[in-house]
Amino acid sequence: MDSRSRVGALALIVFAVAGLAWFALELAPPNMGFEDTDDPAVSLRFLRAHGTIYAQGGLALLAMAISLTVASLALWDALAPRVDALALRTT
């Protein structure tokens, strides 16, 4: 396994972990007693009490975007010597 494949695999692991973290952060408001955060009043109370949860969720989404970009570029490099250009563009 070459270094590009390792980087791609590590990027996908980071993507999966960040995705789980983001999902857990999105489930945090109901677990903390804020039943309906679609209600603006409840959402504002939650933001005043726990505003950093949305910032952490945003960081998790940013990590997901970066790691998915790295993984797709690593896949491109891994497939480049074996497949034609159309298959690479499709992938």
Side-chain angles (χ1 to χ4, degrees):
M1 182 182 249
D2 64 349
S3 65
R4 291 176 296 194
S5 297
R6 285 190 182 114
V7 167
L10 180 64
L12 288 176
I13 291 169
V14 168
F15 178 82
V17 170
L20 290 174
W22 174 76
F23 190 71
L25 288 168
E26 286 294 313
L27 292 177
N31 292 335
M32 294 177 156
F34 296 90
E35 292 302 320
D36 183 20
T37 53
D38 289 337
D39 179 14
V42 175
S43 183
L44 285 176
R45 279 188 308 161
F46 176 75
L47 283 173
R48 283 188 193 109
H50 307 286
T52 58
I53 286 182
Y54 283 119
Q56 293 166 351
L59 289 175
L61 286 173
L62 183 63
M64 289 172 65
I66 291 170
S67 63
L68 192 59
T69 302
V70 170
S72 66
L73 292 174
L75 180 64
W76 177 285
D77 285 342
L79 291 179
R82 297 183 201 130
V83 296
D84 63 346
L86 180 62
L88 278 177
R89 283 190 225 134
T90 304
T91 303

